Amino acid sequence: MAAVVAATRWWRLLLVLSAAGMGASGAPQPPNILLLLMDDMGWGDLGVYGEPSRETPNLDRMAAEGMLFPNFYSANPLCSPSRAALLTGRLPIRNGFYTTNAHARNAYTPQEIVGGIPDSEQLLPELLKKAGYVSKIVGKWHLGHRPQFHPLKHGFDEWFGSPNCHFGPYDNKARPNIPVYRDWEMVGRYYEEFPINLKTGEANLTQIYLQEALDFIKRQARHHPFFLYWAVDATHAPVYASKPFLGTSQRGRYGDAVREIDDSVGKMLELLHDLHVADNTFVFFTSDNGAALISAPEQAGSNGPFLCGKQTTFEGGMREPALAWWPGHIAAGQVSHQLGSIMDLFTTSLALAGLTPPRDRAIDGLNLLPALLQGRLMDRPVFYYRGDTLMATTLGQHKAHFWTWTNSWENFRQGIDFCPGQNVSGVTTHSLEDHTKLPLIFHLGRDPGERFPLSFASAEYQEALSRITSVVQQHQEALVPGQPQLNVCNWAVMVTGKAFAAPSDGTCAAFTPVSKNGPHTGLQCHSWVPRAHRAQWRWPNPASRPLSHHLPVHVG
């Protein structure tokens, strides 16, 4: 709380000192906020992070003009929980974006999921309204399909995008293609009105999302402070790019998608300068989780020196690229070694708006303004959750693993590999291994790849264990888990063909690994059907009541 109060004082001082902080009436106006959230982009995908092709000149320039965070983390190694954490400032275990169907299982929001973001959660755009902000989301929502989960029900004033990723194409019989919305109106579907050529990788979606962002900035920049949440998904398999970018990267199709995103970011920053609002606009670039190595190398990025990728709680699954840009306020060319989290964007955005976080609930996000504006480092832990289980914790340079797991032997033998070419004996395990009595501890400064656990007998191990154990005990004693939202699937939600239709009774969810070319790089939610009949099974018609069965869950 002291950091929030201090940050609010700095914000007021900046408004007094900066003419850019004056609205038309001469009254102080808080800065615009532009959050750029990528999908499955890895820590090693930008030139400034060491990607050897050096194909991200605009993002590299953004870093040179602002601040780079080498130690910035997602709140979960999967998309939906991570996005819920960003917009609530709370761990998924608190805001309900997890499953209890099995121990340490990942879960998300496919078309047939019943749950979504609870009404009890206060999202960032809702709170920013108190400071006069107008908010828009462009791209992927991923926090639920039913009417009560619509982004315009949770504080956003405008939306262009989809409740899900661009999975498909589907047959529109058992499973409809995923819809695209403008506000409340469905304006088409992926692979239909919004085509994606899986053979060539051509799609114009990033250009459409860019134009939506530019139009919104032009409309709002002179009138109200704005919050723009640009959540594009071109780097999520199946990756895509528009025709001018296809075949232009040294990295293949994934690199084409990254180059188009880089170009789009450059155009947005250029527009802010042209409108003379750059020095009154805070911009932050990051990703929802690590690169999905299950789709590598053709359809996935790079996690740099880090172990494994998406769906795991090793560094490659949760450490993200992160850049902050605010000309005239954040000094150029800075590198902050502050441990950061995607949840910090919630608290930091509120501080920029002169607001404090809700006091009636635990907020996990830290206000980063001391690091951004003064270069201060604040001691804080990073908790790595997989489903309902705290898998690991980092404090300072030390990371303790209480559980290790990549994915099951069954799925690994089928070619589903979350850590291709990165086997570390006793670490990248294919069974869920319990280390709670004697955690594996790594020094991430000396060993960022988590390959050399500290000796249990060493003084360094004992000292790190003592500090981390104390922090974890405090966390777990105070933790009040939210009602799990990702336990139940119901095909009636999906087969109506309407993303925001109300379902009938639900079924228990199963998130099972499928092939590496599957709809969600290894995850599928389905109702229980005997294995021999799954390929032929269809609902007789959309009005039919689904069968209900409790299911096992086997998630990598």
Side-chain angles (χ1 to χ4, degrees):
M1 184 59 68
V4 173
V5 172
T8 303
R9 291 196 189 106
W10 296 333
W11 168 78
R12 289 171 179 161
L13 177 61
L14 286 168
L15 292 179
V16 170
L17 295 176
S18 173
M22 291 299 193
S25 65
Q29 179 172 302
N32 306 309
I33 299 169
L34 174 51
L35 301 184
L36 309 170
L37 184 70
M38 302 302 103
D39 201 338
D40 292 4
M41 184 176 282
W43 188 95
D45 277 332
L46 307 185
V48 71
Y49 280 91
E51 201 290 312
S53 300
R54 293 296 196 271
E55 294 179 341
T56 53
N58 295 291
L59 288 163
D60 296 350
R61 184 166 60 250
M62 180 180 169
E65 295 174 356
M67 181 175 285
L68 180 147
F69 288 84
N71 306 315
F72 195 85
Y73 290 87
S74 168
N76 191 268
L78 203 60
C79 42
S80 294
S82 175
R83 292 159 192 266
L86 185 159
L87 291 173
T88 63
R90 288 154 55 81
L91 287 163
I93 192 71
R94 299 193 203 272
N95 64 37
F97 262 66
Y98 68 102
T99 181
T100 56
N101 285 349
H103 185 201
R105 262 54 168 188
N106 290 322
Y108 72 113
T109 55
Q111 292 190 78
E112 57 267 42
I113 200 73
V114 171
I117 193 69
D119 285 340
S120 58
E121 292 297 321
Q122 293 187 336
L123 272 63
L124 180 57
E126 294 178 74
L127 297 169
L128 288 176
K129 283 184 182 296
K130 299 175 183 178
Y133 280 76
V134 176
S135 300
K136 178 165 185 165
I137 171 175
V138 175
K140 180 174 169 180
W141 171 237
H142 226 18
L143 300 189
H145 295 255
R146 295 166 63 195
Q148 64 266 40
F149 306 134
H150 193 290
L152 269 60
K153 282 273 194 177
H154 291 273
F156 284 102
D157 300 293
E158 300 180 25
W159 178 33
F160 184 88
S162 176
N164 213 314
C165 199
H166 57 282
F167 311 135
Y170 301 120
D171 59 11
N172 277 330
K173 295 177 182 178
R175 184 184 296 267
N177 281 320
I178 291 169
V180 176
Y181 279 78
R182 181 176 296 283
D183 300 333
W184 285 101
E185 180 184 0
M186 191 181 81
V187 294
R189 295 180 185 275
Y190 291 135
Y191 302 96
E192 297 176 22
E193 292 82 0
F194 297 91
I196 303 170
N197 188 318
L198 294 182
K199 183 177 180 180
T200 66
E202 182 178 352
N204 289 324
L205 287 166
T206 300
Q207 291 303 307
I208 295 171
Y209 293 150
L210 169 61
Q211 195 58 50
E212 288 290 326
L214 298 178
D215 290 347
F216 178 74
I217 292 170
K218 290 174 185 176
R219 282 189 284 115
Q220 300 300 332
R222 299 293 187 186
H223 304 289
H224 306 279
F226 66 77
F227 168 47
L228 175 57
Y229 175 45
W230 199 66
V232 296
D233 67 353
T235 47
H236 188 297
V239 298
Y240 60 78
S242 64
K243 191 171 184 178
F245 291 90
L246 284 174
T248 65
S249 172
Q250 298 295 313
R251 305 178 63 194
R253 192 178 298 177
Y254 181 88
D256 296 340
V258 173
R259 290 199 68 215
E260 185 167 16
I261 288 171
D262 176 78
D263 182 77
S264 298
V265 172
K267 286 181 167 63
M268 283 187 269
L269 300 185
E270 181 181 15
L271 178 61
L272 295 174
H273 279 298
D274 291 345
L275 295 175
H276 305 291
V277 295
D279 56 355
N280 198 40
T281 304
F282 173 78
V283 184
F284 201 97
F285 177 97
T286 190
S287 179
D288 62 348
N289 46 248
L293 300 185
I294 187 175
S295 302
E298 296 87 358
Q299 300 269 333
S302 166
N303 293 317
F306 303 116
L307 186 61
C308 299
K310 177 180 178 177
Q311 300 193 41
T312 78
T313 50
F314 299 108
E315 291 296 285
M318 291 183 59
R319 198 187 293 212
E320 312 304 331
L323 311 174
W325 185 85
W326 190 12
H329 304 287
I330 297 174
Q334 300 298 301
V335 175
S336 174
H337 293 282
Q338 173 66 48
L339 283 181
S341 165
I342 201 168
M343 297 177 290
D344 300 343
L345 300 179
F346 173 89
T347 311
T348 304
S349 295
L350 292 180
L352 288 166
L355 302 171
T356 55
R359 294 187 174 92
D360 63 345
R361 64 199 64 203
I363 299 295
D364 297 292
L366 186 70
N367 175 16
L368 289 178
L369 286 182
L372 291 163
L373 303 180
Q374 290 193 334
R376 285 175 48 194
L377 297 181
M378 297 164 282
D379 194 30
R380 62 95 63 86
V382 171
F383 299 115
Y384 304 67
Y385 273 88
R386 185 166 175 166
D388 61 354
T389 303
L390 179 61
M391 302 287 286
T393 298
T394 288
L395 188 63
Q397 294 271 45
H398 292 100
K399 179 179 182 181
H401 287 270
F402 311 113
W403 299 86
T404 55
W405 192 32
T406 56
N407 62 335
S408 69
W409 277 114
E410 177 187 2
N411 293 304
F412 179 71
R413 292 183 183 114
Q414 294 170 358
I416 300 169
D417 190 354
F418 297 159
C419 312
Q422 292 185 305
N423 178 58
V424 180
S425 179
V427 179
T428 54
T429 55
H430 291 289
S431 56
L432 184 59
E433 297 293 333
D434 184 352
H435 305 281
T436 53
K437 290 185 171 59
L438 204 60
L440 300 179
I441 298 181
F442 299 86
H443 188 286
L444 294 178
R446 299 192 302 263
D447 179 24
E450 298 170 278
R451 287 166 170 79
F452 307 104
L454 299 182
S455 167
F456 297 141
S458 70
E460 181 181 4
Y461 178 92
Q462 296 298 327
E463 191 274 335
L465 178 63
S466 176
R467 291 190 305 111
I468 292 173
T469 298
S470 175
V471 167
V472 169
Q473 286 178 344
Q474 292 177 32
H475 168 69
Q476 292 182 325
E477 288 171 0
L479 179 66
V480 179
Q483 182 69 27
Q485 296 294 307
L486 306 182
N487 278 354
V488 179
C489 285
N490 183 336
W491 281 54
V493 181
M494 177 180 62
V495 297
T496 59
K498 298 176 182 179
F500 290 101
S504 56
D505 294 342
T507 64
C508 291
F511 296 88
T512 64
V514 292
S515 72
K516 65 183 295 183
N517 297 315
H520 198 271
T521 57
L523 291 181
Q524 186 176 34
C525 175
H526 58 79
S527 297
W528 175 259
V529 181
R531 184 179 300 274
H533 302 294
R534 284 185 189 171
Q536 297 80 26
W537 179 71
R538 298 286 186 271
W539 290 121
N541 62 68
S544 296
R545 180 184 177 89
L547 303 173
S548 296
H549 293 279
H550 290 273
L551 303 178
V553 179
H554 306 288
V555 176

